Amino acid sequence: MKDGQRRGRLFVLSGPSGVGKSTVLARLRRDVPQLWYSVSATTRTPRPGETHGVNYFFVTSDEFERLVADGQMLEHAFFAGNHYGTPQGPVQEHLEAGHDVLLEIDVQGARQVRASPGLGREAVLVFLAPPSFDELARRLIGRGTEDEAATAARLEAARAELAAEPEFDHTLVNTSVEDAASGLVSFLAEPCSPASAG
Ligand code: 5GP
């Protein structure tokens, strides 16, 4: 980092699958283009319209294991049958360069970020919650991106994820994309807490 340059801040957006994180992020990308959005690696099969290097780095299980073994993942988790992880290098580079960084990850990953030395103290963890469990189930089934078994696995995971909400710094209820995105923008604009300053 250059003298006098502020280090970037790390923001984590988490919450159950189907709650609408990607939709809120698409809005945020439009409204806050200066934020750097991390691209995760996953062993999941691409959905129609998803592009390697844009939505995810789609890797094999062997490649994923190698990335983890080489210490290249900031955090990683096994979620509903697939591996997901945040490549460490680009996040650190952007923070060092003074850019604010946003990770969109599951609850297991958010916990690892919180526990990670150095980063955990400064990270701002935001939980995106559905208006209700029934509404989450309706959205997850309605979007139709997974087969029945995978949808059931995601709903099962969602129950545990919803219970993790108190571990987060902020909660946003996703009643509308506009409100959730503007809530996030307000967290981005908040001054650093005394614990994370400096
Ligand atoms: P999806 O398969 O729907 O794209 O993602 C499934 C879940 O994995 C979502 O909750 C998403 O936020 C999470 N996820 C995506 N990338 C990562 C990552 O790099 N690390 C972790 N821990 N979770 C991730």
Side-chain angles (χ1 to χ4, degrees), residues 32-62:
V32 193
Q34 68 275 25
L35 195 61
W36 187 75
Y37 300 86
S38 167
V39 180
S40 299
T42 183
T43 57
R44 166 165 82 58
T45 308
R47 294 178 186 138
E50 285 186 331
T51 307
H52 181 77
V54 176
N55 305 93
Y56 280 107
F57 295 106
F58 294 100
V59 299
T60 63
S61 296
D62 284 353

Side-chain angles (χ1 to χ4, degrees), residues 13-18 21-22 38-42 44 47 50 55-56 64 73 75-80 82-87 103-110 112 143 145-146 154 161:
L13 179 66
S14 198
S17 171
K21 295 187 294 279
S22 303
S38 167
V39 180
S40 299
T42 183
R44 166 165 82 58
R47 294 178 186 138
E50 285 186 331
N55 305 93
Y56 280 107
F64 195 94
M73 289 302 198
E75 60 73 35
H76 61 97
F78 188 69
F79 177 86
N82 293 294
H83 294 278
Y84 296 84
T86 303
L103 313 181
E104 188 247 282
I105 59 178
D106 83 333
V107 165
Q108 305 170 71
Q112 290 171 44
R143 82 180 184 186
T145 49
E146 270 74 34
R154 281 169 186 251
E161 291 187 301

Side-chain angles (χ1 to χ4, degrees), residues 19-161:
V19 75
K21 295 187 294 279
S22 303
T23 315
V24 171
L25 274 199
R27 175 62 60 100
L28 200 68
R29 273 175 199 276
R30 198 194 69 180
D31 295 348
V32 193
Q34 68 275 25
L35 195 61
W36 187 75
Y37 300 86
S38 167
V39 180
S40 299
T42 183
T43 57
R44 166 165 82 58
T45 308
R47 294 178 186 138
E50 285 186 331
T51 307
H52 181 77
V54 176
N55 305 93
Y56 280 107
F57 295 106
F58 294 100
V59 299
T60 63
S61 296
D62 284 353
E63 284 166 338
F64 195 94
E65 269 174 33
R66 208 169 314 126
L67 288 167
V68 173
D70 291 349
Q72 290 190 46
M73 289 302 198
L74 174 61
E75 60 73 35
H76 61 97
F78 188 69
F79 177 86
N82 293 294
H83 294 278
Y84 296 84
T86 303
Q88 166 115 262
V91 171
Q92 297 290 5
E93 282 160 26
H94 280 274
L95 291 174
E96 288 289 315
H99 305 151
D100 290 342
V101 167
L102 189 133
L103 313 181
E104 188 247 282
I105 59 178
D106 83 333
V107 165
Q108 305 170 71
R111 285 192 180 119
Q112 290 171 44
V113 171
R114 180 59 99 213
S116 79
L119 276 183
R121 217 168 52 105
E122 71 181 38
V124 177
L125 269 55
V126 181
F127 189 84
L128 190 64
S132 67
F133 186 82
D134 286 351
E135 175 62 18
L136 179 72
R138 202 185 59 75
R139 289 182 191 177
L140 197 52
I141 294 164
R143 82 180 184 186
T145 49
E146 270 74 34
D147 64 23
E148 216 173 299
T151 301
R154 281 169 186 251
L155 277 174
E156 169 96 33
R159 290 202 186 271
E161 291 187 301

